[in-house]
Each structure stands twice: as C-alpha cells, then as structure tokens.
Amino acid sequence: MARKTYSGPVVGVSFDGDVCQHAAECVRGMPAVFDVDRRPWIDPGQADTESSAEALRQVIGRCPSGALEVVEH
Ligand code: SF4
C-alpha cells in the first residue's frame, strides 16, 4: 500500500499502511478521527478547529512507526 493522504479543514493526515505497527496510539488518542470500523478510517474533518487540530498533531506525533504524518496546508 502506498502512502495515502486524507485532507481536512485545518490539517490533513497521510498514512502508509506498510509501516504501520498497529500500536493503536492513534485510535486511542483520537477515536473520532481514527476509527477502524469506518471507511475511510481516517477522517481529519473531525478535527475542524485549531485546538482539535493541535490535538491531532500531538496524537500523530506519538505514532511510533512514522506511518502517520501531518499534512499542513
Ligand atoms: S499510531 Fe501509527 S503505528 Fe499505531 S496504529 Fe496508528 S498509524 Fe499505525
């Protein structure tokens, strides 16, 4: 799987499933954005304020594998 980008109103998220270690830091950290039961499972539109986008940046910063990256506009 190649890296995919999910755009959002404040920040976007890119994800590479080949490097994800399924540590679930993302799902635990921000379940509204990262929901494995939803397609697409990443929805940056759930972080639609500057404060929620900052929380999203911090959750992505805790991804241990580098699978997740913030896409700043
Ligand atoms: S935090 Fe990173 S490594 Fe863990 S499940 Fe999410 S994307 Fe994968």
Side-chain angles (χ1 to χ4, degrees):
M1 196 200 297
R3 179 167 287 278
K4 285 182 69 172
T5 300
Y6 303 86
S7 57
V10 186
V11 293
V13 176
S14 83
F15 171 72
D16 186 338
D18 287 341
V19 296
C20 174
Q21 294 167 347
H22 307 286
E25 285 291 337
C26 52
V27 177
R28 260 199 306 273
M30 215 161 178
V33 172
F34 302 99
D35 180 351
V36 293
D37 294 326
R38 184 187 56 208
R39 290 294 175 269
W41 77 282
I42 299 174
D43 180 8
Q46 301 294 324
D48 60 355
T49 62
E50 191 48 56
S51 62
S52 60
E54 184 53 32
L56 176 56
R57 289 184 188 98
Q58 291 183 10
V59 168
I60 289 173
R62 292 201 293 272
C63 171
S65 69
L68 291 174
E69 291 177 2
V70 178
V71 180
E72 300 287 352
H73 295 313

